Amino acid sequence: MDLGACPAMAADTLGTACRAVDGGFTRDEWEEQVSEAAFAESCPDGSAHDTDG
């Protein structure tokens, strides 16, 4: 996809991706998909849902 026609999206690709996937992995999703690594917020704004308290 050429983002040249969408400068706001091109300037914030990570934010755009995080909005598209509804805020990143929850802790449960992280453990299911990335169990070999310690949990980390997958979106920088902390919008991932924390299901572990």
Side-chain angles (χ1 to χ4, degrees), residues 5-51:
C6 305
M9 288 176 66
D12 184 23
T13 52
L14 183 59
T16 299
C18 285
R19 286 187 295 279
V21 297
D22 197 25
F25 285 125
T26 64
R27 284 186 184 269
D28 290 339
E29 291 167 337
W30 184 277
E31 288 183 21
E32 182 179 309
Q33 301 296 322
V34 197
S35 61
E36 66 278 358
F39 177 76
E41 292 290 340
S42 49
C43 288
D45 66 358
S47 61
H49 308 283
D50 186 353
T51 61

